[in-house]
Amino acid sequence: VDILSVASVNQQYLLHAQQTTFATHKSVRNFFNATETDDADPFCHANITFQHVDSVSKFCRKRHHGMSPVLRYLSGQYARTPWLGKKKNPTGWLCAQVRPYSGVMKV
């Protein structure tokens, strides 16, 4: 099993906990991680505002061309403004959405 852990430099202790617990299992072949340092813009979380996050969310929720009714419904519910407003770090959350891809590209 190969593991890709998506993490943040602000929460290294969580990444370390994963490395010292389930990554040590005998079935784990490789343990990879991706943090802000792997992002195309490592300072994305500091360079954007909540208004930017909200506008990206609205743009993504309006893209319905060629979607099935189920996907259209689900995308309309995704990352709505009230939900984003409750997040501790909505700008960091938005920037982290691309991180799994960055991590795969790192491997």
Side-chain angles (χ1 to χ4, degrees), residues 2 6 13 26-27 36 51 57-58 64-65 69 74-75 79-80 106:
D2 293 330
V6 176
Y13 64 94
K26 65 182 178 179
S27 66
E36 291 89 340
Q51 288 74 24
S57 170
K58 287 177 181 170
H64 294 146
H65 180 69
L74 291 174
S75 68
R80 300 181 69 80
K106 180 179 168 181

Side-chain angles (χ1 to χ4, degrees), residues 42-57:
F43 302 102
C44 170
H45 63 285
N47 294 336
I48 64 173
T49 64
F50 181 80
Q51 288 74 24
H52 182 84
V53 172
D54 191 43
S55 68
V56 169
S57 170

Side-chain angles (χ1 to χ4, degrees), residues 57 60-80:
S57 170
C60 291
R61 284 186 279 120
K62 289 181 182 176
R63 298 186 68 196
H64 294 146
H65 180 69
M67 283 188 183
S68 72
V70 172
L71 280 177
R72 192 174 311 127
Y73 171 78
L74 291 174
S75 68
Q77 301 303 309
Y78 181 71
R80 300 181 69 80

Side-chain angles (χ1 to χ4, degrees), residues 2 4 16 41 59 65 73 86 101:
D2 293 330
L4 171 61
H16 179 70
D41 178 4
F59 173 80
H65 180 69
Y73 171 78
K86 292 178 185 177
Y101 177 74

